[in-house]
Amino acid sequence: TTLQTAPSGTPQEITILDTTSTEITLQWREVPCIERNGVIIGYTVRYSISGSNITLRNYSDTAATLVELIPLTNYSIEVATVNVIGTGPFSTPVYLRTHGDTPSGTPQEVTIVESTSTKITLQWREVPCIEQNGDIIGYTVRYSTSGSNITLRNYFDTVATLVDLSPFTNYSIGVTAVNVNGTGPFSTPVYLRTDRDKPPVDSTPIIIGAVLSVIA
């Protein structure tokens, strides 16, 4: 009687069927019969980012969809066959880059730099690199009074000045990043009340000579 062993061959013709920003679907052909060395019960897919963060997933069929991946990231993917004895060798890696996506993070540390009765200047830090999901091309600032009268303004830098505001009015301000794929989520709102208008200066001239003549 021939003793069974783990598969000695690898799955064949690993093919990428579909790729999105967070998923990869692949398929493969079975190990040649002579290299199965027993009854095949499934497959293990091993994938990683540049050789680190290695993840293993088990499948019963010759197809798999890898989910919850990182957008715009290079992955190495390998497949091994599993029989009733154990796991065979992994296939030659397939290398693939996921697609970009809209930013998944928000601009950081939104800060008010200056405020007057009709103007607010603010600044912020960029979205963390891992959450940019593509080249950042600008930012959108959304501001409103008590949730109404929403206004959107686009900026290329990490600073903005909002003008023509109403004096002594509460404003809610949020910022979002825009990349080549679209717009991300808005930051947690910053709340601020503009200053009061300064009272007008009385410009009526005072005629000193006339007053002195009356007193005399």
Side-chain angles (χ1 to χ4, degrees):
T1 302
T2 302
L3 294 176
Q4 291 185 336
T5 61
S8 54
T10 63
Q12 306 293 295
E13 300 178 21
I14 298 172
T15 306
I16 303 299
L17 299 181
D18 188 35
T19 306
T20 69
S21 60
T22 58
E23 296 185 0
I24 295 174
T25 299
L26 62 150
Q27 68 178 14
W28 54 89
R29 294 181 62 185
E30 294 180 345
V31 174
C33 292
I34 197 172
E35 297 176 321
R36 295 179 186 177
N37 304 334
V39 178
I40 301 300
I41 60 174
Y43 300 88
T44 297
V45 176
R46 180 172 68 188
Y47 58 98
S48 63
I49 304 171
S50 302
S52 61
N53 302 317
I54 295 174
T55 303
L56 299 175
R57 293 283 185 270
N58 297 319
Y59 299 89
S60 58
D61 202 0
T62 55
T65 297
L66 312 180
V67 299
E68 298 180 354
L69 306 181
I70 300 173
L72 215 62
T73 301
N74 294 317
Y75 282 90
S76 167
I77 306 171
E78 306 160 272
V79 186
T81 302
V82 182
N83 67 13
V84 293
I85 301 300
T87 302
F90 280 91
S91 62
T92 301
V94 173
Y95 298 97
L96 184 69
R97 187 178 181 88
T98 50
H99 295 173
D101 202 347
T102 57
S104 54
T106 65
Q108 305 292 293
E109 300 178 21
V110 179
T111 306
I112 303 300
V113 177
E114 184 182 10
S115 175
T116 69
S117 60
T118 59
K119 182 175 66 176
I120 295 173
T121 299
L122 62 149
Q123 66 181 15
W124 56 89
R125 295 181 62 186
E126 294 182 346
V127 175
C129 290
I130 197 172
E131 299 177 324
Q132 292 183 7
N133 303 335
D135 294 331
I136 300 297
I137 59 176
Y139 299 89
T140 297
V141 176
R142 179 178 65 188
Y143 58 100
S144 63
T145 55
S146 303
S148 60
N149 302 318
I150 295 174
T151 304
L152 299 175
R153 292 284 185 270
N154 298 319
Y155 300 88
F156 294 106
D157 204 357
T158 56
V159 62
T161 297
L162 314 180
V163 297
D164 297 328
L165 306 180
S166 300
F168 204 57
T169 301
N170 293 317
Y171 281 90
S172 167
I173 306 170
V175 185
T176 180
V178 182
N179 68 12
V180 293
N181 302 297
T183 302
F186 278 91
S187 61
T188 302
V190 173
Y191 298 97
L192 181 73
R193 174 180 285 182
T194 51
D195 297 340
R196 293 180 185 271
D197 257 342
K198 293 182 179 179
V201 177
D202 188 355
S203 58
T204 304
I206 300 174
I207 308 174
I208 301 297
V211 174
L212 291 176
S213 62
V214 171
I215 296 174

